[in-house]
Coordinates of all heavy atoms in Angstrom, one line a residue:
E189 N -11.4 4.4 32.5 CA -12.3 4.8 33.6 C -12.5 3.6 34.4 O -12.6 2.4 33.9 CB -13.6 5.4 33.0 CG -13.4 6.6 32.2 CD -14.7 7.1 31.5 OE1 -15.7 6.5 31.9 OE2 -14.7 8.0 30.7
N201 N -6.3 -7.3 33.2 CA -7.1 -7.1 32.1 C -7.1 -5.7 31.6 O -7.1 -5.4 30.4 CB -8.6 -7.6 32.4 CG -8.8 -9.1 32.3 OD1 -7.9 -9.8 31.7 ND2 -9.9 -9.5 32.8
G203 N -4.8 -3.4 32.1 CA -3.5 -3.1 31.5 C -3.4 -3.7 30.1 O -2.8 -3.0 29.3
Y212 N -3.1 -0.6 18.7 CA -4.0 -0.4 17.6 C -3.9 1.0 17.1 O -3.9 1.3 15.9 CB -5.4 -0.7 18.1 CG -6.5 -0.4 17.1 CD1 -6.6 -1.2 15.9 CD2 -7.5 0.6 17.3 CE1 -7.6 -1.0 15.0 CE2 -8.5 0.8 16.4 CZ -8.5 0.0 15.2 OH -9.5 0.2 14.3
L215 N -0.8 1.4 15.0 CA -0.9 0.8 13.7 C -1.7 1.7 12.8 O -1.4 1.8 11.6 CB -1.5 -0.6 13.8 CG -0.6 -1.7 14.4 CD1 -1.4 -3.0 14.7 CD2 0.5 -2.0 13.5
E292 N -11.7 -11.8 22.7 CA -11.5 -12.5 23.9 C -11.6 -11.7 25.2 O -12.3 -12.1 26.2 CB -10.1 -13.2 23.9 CG -9.8 -14.0 25.1 CD -8.4 -14.6 25.1 OE1 -7.7 -14.5 24.0 OE2 -7.9 -15.1 26.1
F327 N 2.7 3.6 -13.7 CA 4.1 3.2 -13.4 C 4.6 2.3 -14.5 O 5.3 2.7 -15.4 CB 4.2 2.6 -12.0 CG 4.0 3.6 -10.9 CD1 2.8 3.9 -10.3 CD2 5.1 4.4 -10.5 CE1 2.6 4.8 -9.3 CE2 4.9 5.4 -9.5 CZ 3.7 5.6 -8.9
W351 N 19.0 3.0 -21.7 CA 17.8 2.3 -22.1 C 17.8 0.9 -21.4 O 16.7 0.5 -20.9 CB 17.8 2.2 -23.6 CG 16.5 1.6 -24.1 CD1 15.4 2.3 -24.5 CD2 16.1 0.2 -24.3 NE1 14.4 1.5 -25.0 CE2 14.8 0.2 -24.8 CE3 16.8 -1.0 -24.1 CZ2 14.2 -1.0 -25.1 CZ3 16.1 -2.1 -24.4 CH2 14.8 -2.1 -24.9

Side-chain angles (χ1 to χ4, degrees):
E189 299 175 8
N201 279 346
Y212 179 63
L215 287 170
E292 180 182 349
F327 290 96
W351 189 92

